[in-house]
Amino acid sequence: MAWARAIEQLGFDTQIVPLRTREVAVEGQGVGTLGRLKKALLPMPLDKKLPKIAEQSDLVVATVPAVFRSALRSSASDRLIFDWMDLWSVSSRTIGDARQSSIAGGRIQARIWNRREAAYPSLVGSNTIAGYSEYEAMLQGSSRPMRWLPNPVTYRPVAHTAGSVGVTRLGFIGNFYYGPNVYSLRDFLTRHSALLSNPKFEIVVAGYGSEITKTWGFPITVMGPVDEVAEFYGNIDAAVVPITHGSGIKIKAIEALAHGVPVFGTAHVRDGLPREMRKFVIDLGRLGTDLSRYPRVPRREFESVFGFEAFRKTVSAAVSDLRLESCAR
C-alpha cells in the first residue's frame, strides 16, 4: 500500500495485484490438506506466476520473492524493481529449523534462495530491501542499485490506561496464523517461565488467532484481534518482540517504538534496524528492570528513518534508477 501511494505521488497510474486473498493471508482460511502438508515439509514457496497485467505495465514493483523469477521472464529487466522485504534464504532456514518435519526442506530451499539472492539483484533496474544487516550484505554483491527501504510507520505515542497497581504489563501483538510469530512467542514463554510466575508481571497478547495462546498452559491475558493497534499499545507498559525466525525488519518493533512504549527484543530484531536505532530495542535479558531508565525514540529521529516522507524519497530514487519518468502520467 505504501509503495502504491508513493508511486502515485510520482505521477504513475497504479494497480495493486494481490497473489492471494486477505482472508488466506491473515486468517489462514482456504488452505487445504495438501497445502498444509506442503507447508509442513517446505516452509517457503519457490515460484508463483506473476499476473498477466504485469506484462503490460511500464513499471513492475515485485514485493514477493516467489514471483521474481516469473517477473524476469515476462517483463523487461529495466522495468523491474525487486523489493526484498525479507530474504527467503534466511526465512527458509530459520522457519524450517523450528519443526522437525521441515528442517531438511528448509535447508534445501535456503540453498536455492541463496543462489537467487546472489543473481537476481543484478538482473533488474533497482532493488530495495527492508532488513538493514541484510541490506549491508547484499549491497556488496550487486552491480545494480540497492536501497534500504523499511515499511513506513506513523509516529503516534499513546496514553496508557491504568493497570493493576504494581504490575508491569508486557505485550506481544502479531498474526498467529504466521508460523514465526507462534514459534518465537512459545519459545519466549518457555524460557521466561519464572517471569510469568511473578505476580508483578502480566503477559498480554493480541492479534489474529491470538486465542490459540489460551491452550498453551501459560498465564496470559488475551485481547484477541483489535481494530486499532493503538488500543493494544495503550494497554501495555512495554512490548516484547522475541522473534528469532524469518528475516527482514520486524514491523512490530517499529510500531511499538512509534507508540512510545519500551521495546524488548532479540539480536535478530536489532539486526533488522539501522545501527542508530538498535539502542532503542532493549535486550530481553533486561526484562524486570525499571522501565523508566530506557529512553523513547524522539519524533524527529524516528520520522527521519521510518516516516512516509523518508519512504517516498527512497521510492523516488529507486524509480529514477530505471529512468522511467516519461512513463508517468
PDB file of all heavy atoms in Angstrom, residues 11-44:
ATOM      1  N   GLY A  11       3.280  10.390 -10.073  1.00  0.00           N
ATOM      2  CA  GLY A  11       2.514  10.629 -11.290  1.00  0.00           C
ATOM      3  C   GLY A  11       2.128   9.393 -12.062  1.00  0.00           C
ATOM      4  O   GLY A  11       1.588   9.489 -13.170  1.00  0.00           O
ATOM      5  N   PHE A  12       2.360   8.209 -11.528  1.00  0.00           N
ATOM      6  CA  PHE A  12       2.001   6.971 -12.212  1.00  0.00           C
ATOM      7  C   PHE A  12       0.576   6.545 -11.856  1.00  0.00           C
ATOM      8  O   PHE A  12       0.119   6.745 -10.726  1.00  0.00           O
ATOM      9  CB  PHE A  12       2.957   5.833 -11.806  1.00  0.00           C
ATOM     10  CG  PHE A  12       4.329   5.928 -12.395  1.00  0.00           C
ATOM     11  CD1 PHE A  12       5.312   6.705 -11.792  1.00  0.00           C
ATOM     12  CD2 PHE A  12       4.658   5.233 -13.551  1.00  0.00           C
ATOM     13  CE1 PHE A  12       6.589   6.793 -12.318  1.00  0.00           C
ATOM     14  CE2 PHE A  12       5.936   5.314 -14.083  1.00  0.00           C
ATOM     15  CZ  PHE A  12       6.898   6.091 -13.471  1.00  0.00           C
ATOM     16  N   ASP A  13      -0.106   5.939 -12.824  1.00  0.00           N
ATOM     17  CA  ASP A  13      -1.330   5.212 -12.518  1.00  0.00           C
ATOM     18  C   ASP A  13      -0.894   3.864 -11.959  1.00  0.00           C
ATOM     19  O   ASP A  13      -0.031   3.197 -12.548  1.00  0.00           O
ATOM     20  CB  ASP A  13      -2.161   4.980 -13.778  1.00  0.00           C
ATOM     21  CG  ASP A  13      -2.631   6.292 -14.396  1.00  0.00           C
ATOM     22  OD1 ASP A  13      -2.874   7.237 -13.630  1.00  0.00           O
ATOM     23  OD2 ASP A  13      -2.720   6.354 -15.641  1.00  0.00           O
ATOM     24  N   THR A  14      -1.471   3.437 -10.850  1.00  0.00           N
ATOM     25  CA  THR A  14      -1.009   2.204 -10.216  1.00  0.00           C
ATOM     26  C   THR A  14      -2.151   1.224 -10.012  1.00  0.00           C
ATOM     27  O   THR A  14      -3.325   1.608  -9.917  1.00  0.00           O
ATOM     28  CB  THR A  14      -0.361   2.482  -8.846  1.00  0.00           C
ATOM     29  OG1 THR A  14      -1.352   2.987  -7.947  1.00  0.00           O
ATOM     30  CG2 THR A  14       0.759   3.489  -8.966  1.00  0.00           C
ATOM     31  N   GLN A  15      -1.790  -0.026  -9.930  1.00  0.00           N
ATOM     32  CA  GLN A  15      -2.736  -1.080  -9.582  1.00  0.00           C
ATOM     33  C   GLN A  15      -2.032  -2.098  -8.705  1.00  0.00           C
ATOM     34  O   GLN A  15      -0.930  -2.554  -9.036  1.00  0.00           O
ATOM     35  CB  GLN A  15      -3.296  -1.771 -10.825  1.00  0.00           C
ATOM     36  CG  GLN A  15      -4.320  -2.847 -10.487  1.00  0.00           C
ATOM     37  CD  GLN A  15      -5.040  -3.375 -11.722  1.00  0.00           C
ATOM     38  OE1 GLN A  15      -4.946  -2.800 -12.805  1.00  0.00           O
ATOM     39  NE2 GLN A  15      -5.753  -4.472 -11.566  1.00  0.00           N
ATOM     40  N   ILE A  16      -2.649  -2.430  -7.581  1.00  0.00           N
ATOM     41  CA  ILE A  16      -2.116  -3.450  -6.691  1.00  0.00           C
ATOM     42  C   ILE A  16      -2.690  -4.796  -7.116  1.00  0.00           C
ATOM     43  O   ILE A  16      -3.914  -4.945  -7.241  1.00  0.00           O
ATOM     44  CB  ILE A  16      -2.479  -3.151  -5.224  1.00  0.00           C
ATOM     45  CG1 ILE A  16      -1.844  -1.831  -4.779  1.00  0.00           C
ATOM     46  CG2 ILE A  16      -2.026  -4.291  -4.314  1.00  0.00           C
ATOM     47  CD1 ILE A  16      -2.271  -1.385  -3.399  1.00  0.00           C
ATOM     48  N   VAL A  17      -1.823  -5.778  -7.352  1.00  0.00           N
ATOM     49  CA  VAL A  17      -2.261  -7.100  -7.782  1.00  0.00           C
ATOM     50  C   VAL A  17      -1.913  -8.108  -6.687  1.00  0.00           C
ATOM     51  O   VAL A  17      -0.761  -8.520  -6.553  1.00  0.00           O
ATOM     52  CB  VAL A  17      -1.583  -7.502  -9.112  1.00  0.00           C
ATOM     53  CG1 VAL A  17      -2.118  -8.847  -9.586  1.00  0.00           C
ATOM     54  CG2 VAL A  17      -1.807  -6.428 -10.164  1.00  0.00           C
ATOM     55  N   PRO A  18      -2.885  -8.516  -5.872  1.00  0.00           N
ATOM     56  CA  PRO A  18      -2.597  -9.486  -4.802  1.00  0.00           C
ATOM     57  C   PRO A  18      -2.427 -10.887  -5.362  1.00  0.00           C
ATOM     58  O   PRO A  18      -3.028 -11.241  -6.387  1.00  0.00           O
ATOM     59  CB  PRO A  18      -3.841  -9.388  -3.911  1.00  0.00           C
ATOM     60  CG  PRO A  18      -4.940  -9.000  -4.842  1.00  0.00           C
ATOM     61  CD  PRO A  18      -4.301  -8.089  -5.876  1.00  0.00           C
ATOM     62  N   LEU A  19      -1.599 -11.673  -4.695  1.00  0.00           N
ATOM     63  CA  LEU A  19      -1.394 -13.065  -5.110  1.00  0.00           C
ATOM     64  C   LEU A  19      -2.345 -14.010  -4.395  1.00  0.00           C
ATOM     65  O   LEU A  19      -2.508 -15.158  -4.786  1.00  0.00           O
ATOM     66  CB  LEU A  19       0.051 -13.489  -4.833  1.00  0.00           C
ATOM     67  CG  LEU A  19       1.109 -12.721  -5.616  1.00  0.00           C
ATOM     68  CD1 LEU A  19       2.491 -13.238  -5.272  1.00  0.00           C
ATOM     69  CD2 LEU A  19       0.866 -12.830  -7.110  1.00  0.00           C
ATOM     70  N   ARG A  20      -2.943 -13.535  -3.298  1.00  0.00           N
ATOM     71  CA  ARG A  20      -3.927 -14.340  -2.581  1.00  0.00           C
ATOM     72  C   ARG A  20      -4.847 -13.390  -1.831  1.00  0.00           C
ATOM     73  O   ARG A  20      -4.550 -12.209  -1.680  1.00  0.00           O
ATOM     74  CB  ARG A  20      -3.256 -15.312  -1.603  1.00  0.00           C
ATOM     75  CG  ARG A  20      -2.296 -14.653  -0.622  1.00  0.00           C
ATOM     76  CD  ARG A  20      -1.677 -15.687   0.296  1.00  0.00           C
ATOM     77  NE  ARG A  20      -0.719 -15.080   1.203  1.00  0.00           N
ATOM     78  CZ  ARG A  20      -0.161 -15.725   2.223  1.00  0.00           C
ATOM     79  NH1 ARG A  20      -0.478 -16.975   2.451  1.00  0.00           N
ATOM     80  NH2 ARG A  20       0.695 -15.118   3.007  1.00  0.00           N
ATOM     81  N   THR A  21      -5.957 -13.917  -1.361  1.00  0.00           N
ATOM     82  CA  THR A  21      -6.925 -13.065  -0.691  1.00  0.00           C
ATOM     83  C   THR A  21      -6.440 -12.680   0.692  1.00  0.00           C
ATOM     84  O   THR A  21      -5.602 -13.353   1.292  1.00  0.00           O
ATOM     85  CB  THR A  21      -8.275 -13.779  -0.536  1.00  0.00           C
ATOM     86  OG1 THR A  21      -8.119 -14.893   0.355  1.00  0.00           O
ATOM     87  CG2 THR A  21      -8.797 -14.267  -1.878  1.00  0.00           C
ATOM     88  N   ARG A  22      -6.991 -11.610   1.215  1.00  0.00           N
ATOM     89  CA  ARG A  22      -6.648 -11.165   2.563  1.00  0.00           C
ATOM     90  C   ARG A  22      -7.007 -12.245   3.587  1.00  0.00           C
ATOM     91  O   ARG A  22      -6.289 -12.463   4.556  1.00  0.00           O
ATOM     92  CB  ARG A  22      -7.406  -9.873   2.884  1.00  0.00           C
ATOM     93  CG  ARG A  22      -7.182  -9.365   4.301  1.00  0.00           C
ATOM     94  CD  ARG A  22      -8.046  -8.128   4.539  1.00  0.00           C
ATOM     95  NE  ARG A  22      -7.867  -7.610   5.887  1.00  0.00           N
ATOM     96  CZ  ARG A  22      -8.486  -8.101   6.951  1.00  0.00           C
ATOM     97  NH1 ARG A  22      -9.308  -9.123   6.808  1.00  0.00           N
ATOM     98  NH2 ARG A  22      -8.282  -7.574   8.143  1.00  0.00           N
ATOM     99  N   GLU A  23      -8.135 -12.953   3.357  1.00  0.00           N
ATOM    100  CA  GLU A  23      -8.570 -13.967   4.317  1.00  0.00           C
ATOM    101  C   GLU A  23      -7.550 -15.089   4.448  1.00  0.00           C
ATOM    102  O   GLU A  23      -7.254 -15.558   5.539  1.00  0.00           O
ATOM    103  CB  GLU A  23      -9.936 -14.546   3.899  1.00  0.00           C
ATOM    104  CG  GLU A  23     -11.104 -13.597   4.091  1.00  0.00           C
ATOM    105  CD  GLU A  23     -11.106 -12.459   3.064  1.00  0.00           C
ATOM    106  OE1 GLU A  23     -10.524 -12.629   1.975  1.00  0.00           O
ATOM    107  OE2 GLU A  23     -11.689 -11.401   3.374  1.00  0.00           O
ATOM    108  N   VAL A  24      -6.981 -15.519   3.324  1.00  0.00           N
ATOM    109  CA  VAL A  24      -5.967 -16.570   3.367  1.00  0.00           C
ATOM    110  C   VAL A  24      -4.693 -16.051   4.020  1.00  0.00           C
ATOM    111  O   VAL A  24      -4.086 -16.709   4.862  1.00  0.00           O
ATOM    112  CB  VAL A  24      -5.661 -17.093   1.949  1.00  0.00           C
ATOM    113  CG1 VAL A  24      -4.457 -18.019   1.970  1.00  0.00           C
ATOM    114  CG2 VAL A  24      -6.876 -17.823   1.387  1.00  0.00           C
ATOM    115  N   ALA A  25      -4.281 -14.839   3.653  1.00  0.00           N
ATOM    116  CA  ALA A  25      -3.025 -14.285   4.155  1.00  0.00           C
ATOM    117  C   ALA A  25      -3.075 -14.006   5.642  1.00  0.00           C
ATOM    118  O   ALA A  25      -2.116 -14.238   6.367  1.00  0.00           O
ATOM    119  CB  ALA A  25      -2.684 -12.998   3.401  1.00  0.00           C
ATOM    120  N   VAL A  26      -4.219 -13.484   6.130  1.00  0.00           N
ATOM    121  CA  VAL A  26      -4.288 -13.025   7.508  1.00  0.00           C
ATOM    122  C   VAL A  26      -4.922 -14.055   8.432  1.00  0.00           C
ATOM    123  O   VAL A  26      -4.487 -14.251   9.552  1.00  0.00           O
ATOM    124  CB  VAL A  26      -5.075 -11.691   7.580  1.00  0.00           C
ATOM    125  CG1 VAL A  26      -5.258 -11.245   9.026  1.00  0.00           C
ATOM    126  CG2 VAL A  26      -4.338 -10.619   6.790  1.00  0.00           C
ATOM    127  N   GLU A  27      -5.944 -14.755   7.950  1.00  0.00           N
ATOM    128  CA  GLU A  27      -6.689 -15.623   8.835  1.00  0.00           C
ATOM    129  C   GLU A  27      -6.531 -17.108   8.512  1.00  0.00           C
ATOM    130  O   GLU A  27      -7.199 -17.955   9.100  1.00  0.00           O
ATOM    131  CB  GLU A  27      -8.178 -15.220   8.808  1.00  0.00           C
ATOM    132  CG  GLU A  27      -8.374 -13.762   9.253  1.00  0.00           C
ATOM    133  CD  GLU A  27      -9.824 -13.330   9.207  1.00  0.00           C
ATOM    134  OE1 GLU A  27     -10.697 -14.208   9.105  1.00  0.00           O
ATOM    135  OE2 GLU A  27     -10.074 -12.125   9.283  1.00  0.00           O
ATOM    136  N   GLY A  28      -5.645 -17.436   7.574  1.00  0.00           N
ATOM    137  CA  GLY A  28      -5.327 -18.825   7.323  1.00  0.00           C
ATOM    138  C   GLY A  28      -6.452 -19.622   6.699  1.00  0.00           C
ATOM    139  O   GLY A  28      -6.446 -20.856   6.751  1.00  0.00           O
ATOM    140  N   GLN A  29      -7.442 -18.972   6.086  1.00  0.00           N
ATOM    141  CA  GLN A  29      -8.568 -19.690   5.505  1.00  0.00           C
ATOM    142  C   GLN A  29      -8.222 -20.218   4.128  1.00  0.00           C
ATOM    143  O   GLN A  29      -7.365 -19.702   3.432  1.00  0.00           O
ATOM    144  CB  GLN A  29      -9.789 -18.765   5.419  1.00  0.00           C
ATOM    145  CG  GLN A  29     -10.278 -18.271   6.765  1.00  0.00           C
ATOM    146  CD  GLN A  29     -11.441 -17.310   6.619  1.00  0.00           C
ATOM    147  OE1 GLN A  29     -11.981 -17.134   5.539  1.00  0.00           O
ATOM    148  NE2 GLN A  29     -11.816 -16.673   7.724  1.00  0.00           N
ATOM    149  N   GLY A  30      -8.909 -21.263   3.721  1.00  0.00           N
ATOM    150  CA  GLY A  30      -8.787 -21.770   2.366  1.00  0.00           C
ATOM    151  C   GLY A  30      -7.548 -22.601   2.112  1.00  0.00           C
ATOM    152  O   GLY A  30      -7.231 -22.907   0.974  1.00  0.00           O
ATOM    153  N   VAL A  31      -6.828 -22.991   3.151  1.00  0.00           N
ATOM    154  CA  VAL A  31      -5.642 -23.830   2.986  1.00  0.00           C
ATOM    155  C   VAL A  31      -6.042 -25.283   3.204  1.00  0.00           C
ATOM    156  O   VAL A  31      -6.432 -25.670   4.305  1.00  0.00           O
ATOM    157  CB  VAL A  31      -4.530 -23.426   3.973  1.00  0.00           C
ATOM    158  CG1 VAL A  31      -3.320 -24.317   3.775  1.00  0.00           C
ATOM    159  CG2 VAL A  31      -4.170 -21.965   3.779  1.00  0.00           C
ATOM    160  N   GLY A  32      -5.984 -26.095   2.142  1.00  0.00           N
ATOM    161  CA  GLY A  32      -6.417 -27.485   2.229  1.00  0.00           C
ATOM    162  C   GLY A  32      -5.372 -28.395   2.833  1.00  0.00           C
ATOM    163  O   GLY A  32      -4.281 -27.967   3.231  1.00  0.00           O
ATOM    164  N   THR A  33      -5.709 -29.690   2.854  1.00  0.00           N
ATOM    165  CA  THR A  33      -4.806 -30.688   3.444  1.00  0.00           C
ATOM    166  C   THR A  33      -3.475 -30.737   2.712  1.00  0.00           C
ATOM    167  O   THR A  33      -2.409 -30.799   3.334  1.00  0.00           O
ATOM    168  CB  THR A  33      -5.469 -32.077   3.404  1.00  0.00           C
ATOM    169  OG1 THR A  33      -6.712 -32.023   4.111  1.00  0.00           O
ATOM    170  CG2 THR A  33      -4.566 -33.118   4.056  1.00  0.00           C
ATOM    171  N   LEU A  34      -3.519 -30.698   1.363  1.00  0.00           N
ATOM    172  CA  LEU A  34      -2.289 -30.743   0.578  1.00  0.00           C
ATOM    173  C   LEU A  34      -1.425 -29.525   0.865  1.00  0.00           C
ATOM    174  O   LEU A  34      -0.199 -29.626   1.006  1.00  0.00           O
ATOM    175  CB  LEU A  34      -2.627 -30.808  -0.913  1.00  0.00           C
ATOM    176  CG  LEU A  34      -1.428 -30.984  -1.860  1.00  0.00           C
ATOM    177  CD1 LEU A  34      -0.690 -32.273  -1.539  1.00  0.00           C
ATOM    178  CD2 LEU A  34      -1.895 -30.974  -3.309  1.00  0.00           C
ATOM    179  N   GLY A  35      -2.076 -28.362   0.996  1.00  0.00           N
ATOM    180  CA  GLY A  35      -1.345 -27.134   1.292  1.00  0.00           C
ATOM    181  C   GLY A  35      -0.673 -27.186   2.650  1.00  0.00           C
ATOM    182  O   GLY A  35       0.466 -26.749   2.811  1.00  0.00           O
ATOM    183  N   ARG A  36      -1.392 -27.724   3.641  1.00  0.00           N
ATOM    184  CA  ARG A  36      -0.814 -27.834   4.989  1.00  0.00           C
ATOM    185  C   ARG A  36       0.346 -28.820   5.002  1.00  0.00           C
ATOM    186  O   ARG A  36       1.360 -28.600   5.686  1.00  0.00           O
ATOM    187  CB  ARG A  36      -1.893 -28.256   5.979  1.00  0.00           C
ATOM    188  CG  ARG A  36      -2.893 -27.149   6.308  1.00  0.00           C
ATOM    189  CD  ARG A  36      -3.740 -27.514   7.506  1.00  0.00           C
ATOM    190  NE  ARG A  36      -4.645 -28.613   7.209  1.00  0.00           N
ATOM    191  CZ  ARG A  36      -5.881 -28.467   6.702  1.00  0.00           C
ATOM    192  NH1 ARG A  36      -6.344 -27.250   6.463  1.00  0.00           N
ATOM    193  NH2 ARG A  36      -6.636 -29.511   6.456  1.00  0.00           N
ATOM    194  N   LEU A  37       0.225 -29.915   4.244  1.00  0.00           N
ATOM    195  CA  LEU A  37       1.306 -30.892   4.174  1.00  0.00           C
ATOM    196  C   LEU A  37       2.537 -30.284   3.513  1.00  0.00           C
ATOM    197  O   LEU A  37       3.669 -30.455   3.996  1.00  0.00           O
ATOM    198  CB  LEU A  37       0.842 -32.123   3.386  1.00  0.00           C
ATOM    199  CG  LEU A  37       1.899 -33.216   3.152  1.00  0.00           C
ATOM    200  CD1 LEU A  37       2.397 -33.770   4.490  1.00  0.00           C
ATOM    201  CD2 LEU A  37       1.339 -34.335   2.273  1.00  0.00           C
ATOM    202  N   LYS A  38       2.301 -29.551   2.430  1.00  0.00           N
ATOM    203  CA  LYS A  38       3.426 -28.907   1.737  1.00  0.00           C
ATOM    204  C   LYS A  38       4.131 -27.931   2.660  1.00  0.00           C
ATOM    205  O   LYS A  38       5.363 -27.869   2.703  1.00  0.00           O
ATOM    206  CB  LYS A  38       2.911 -28.199   0.486  1.00  0.00           C
ATOM    207  CG  LYS A  38       3.998 -27.531  -0.329  1.00  0.00           C
ATOM    208  CD  LYS A  38       3.413 -26.854  -1.564  1.00  0.00           C
ATOM    209  CE  LYS A  38       4.504 -26.142  -2.361  1.00  0.00           C
ATOM    210  NZ  LYS A  38       3.943 -25.448  -3.552  1.00  0.00           N
ATOM    211  N   LYS A  39       3.342 -27.152   3.420  1.00  0.00           N
ATOM    212  CA  LYS A  39       3.930 -26.163   4.320  1.00  0.00           C
ATOM    213  C   LYS A  39       4.696 -26.839   5.449  1.00  0.00           C
ATOM    214  O   LYS A  39       5.683 -26.304   5.965  1.00  0.00           O
ATOM    215  CB  LYS A  39       2.833 -25.256   4.881  1.00  0.00           C
ATOM    216  CG  LYS A  39       3.361 -23.967   5.488  1.00  0.00           C
ATOM    217  CD  LYS A  39       2.231 -23.013   5.773  1.00  0.00           C
ATOM    218  CE  LYS A  39       2.759 -21.679   6.297  1.00  0.00           C
ATOM    219  NZ  LYS A  39       3.575 -20.976   5.323  1.00  0.00           N
ATOM    220  N   ALA A  40       4.229 -28.027   5.863  1.00  0.00           N
ATOM    221  CA  ALA A  40       4.912 -28.754   6.935  1.00  0.00           C
ATOM    222  C   ALA A  40       6.282 -29.238   6.485  1.00  0.00           C
ATOM    223  O   ALA A  40       7.196 -29.398   7.300  1.00  0.00           O
ATOM    224  CB  ALA A  40       4.060 -29.935   7.389  1.00  0.00           C
ATOM    225  N   LEU A  41       6.432 -29.493   5.184  1.00  0.00           N
ATOM    226  CA  LEU A  41       7.703 -30.004   4.663  1.00  0.00           C
ATOM    227  C   LEU A  41       8.577 -28.900   4.068  1.00  0.00           C
ATOM    228  O   LEU A  41       9.801 -28.940   4.180  1.00  0.00           O
ATOM    229  CB  LEU A  41       7.428 -31.068   3.593  1.00  0.00           C
ATOM    230  CG  LEU A  41       6.653 -32.311   4.052  1.00  0.00           C
ATOM    231  CD1 LEU A  41       6.336 -33.201   2.858  1.00  0.00           C
ATOM    232  CD2 LEU A  41       7.440 -33.068   5.102  1.00  0.00           C
ATOM    233  N   LEU A  42       7.932 -27.923   3.432  1.00  0.00           N
ATOM    234  CA  LEU A  42       8.652 -26.839   2.760  1.00  0.00           C
ATOM    235  C   LEU A  42       8.143 -25.514   3.315  1.00  0.00           C
ATOM    236  O   LEU A  42       7.041 -25.087   2.969  1.00  0.00           O
ATOM    237  CB  LEU A  42       8.427 -26.905   1.244  1.00  0.00           C
ATOM    238  CG  LEU A  42       8.891 -28.197   0.558  1.00  0.00           C
ATOM    239  CD1 LEU A  42       8.388 -28.235  -0.878  1.00  0.00           C
ATOM    240  CD2 LEU A  42      10.410 -28.313   0.600  1.00  0.00           C
ATOM    241  N   PRO A  43       8.914 -24.839   4.161  1.00  0.00           N
ATOM    242  CA  PRO A  43       8.414 -23.649   4.855  1.00  0.00           C
ATOM    243  C   PRO A  43       8.125 -22.454   3.974  1.00  0.00           C
ATOM    244  O   PRO A  43       7.303 -21.610   4.316  1.00  0.00           O
ATOM    245  CB  PRO A  43       9.533 -23.331   5.854  1.00  0.00           C
ATOM    246  CG  PRO A  43      10.755 -23.964   5.282  1.00  0.00           C
ATOM    247  CD  PRO A  43      10.278 -25.204   4.591  1.00  0.00           C
ATOM    248  N   MET A  44       8.793 -22.332   2.813  1.00  0.00           N
ATOM    249  CA  MET A  44       8.609 -21.172   1.949  1.00  0.00           C
ATOM    250  C   MET A  44       8.222 -21.614   0.535  1.00  0.00           C
ATOM    251  O   MET A  44       8.632 -22.684   0.082  1.00  0.00           O
ATOM    252  CB  MET A  44       9.899 -20.340   1.877  1.00  0.00           C
ATOM    253  CG  MET A  44      10.424 -19.872   3.221  1.00  0.00           C
ATOM    254  SD  MET A  44       9.292 -18.791   4.109  1.00  0.00           S
ATOM    255  CE  MET A  44       9.287 -17.350   3.041  1.00  0.00           C
TER     256      MET A  44
END
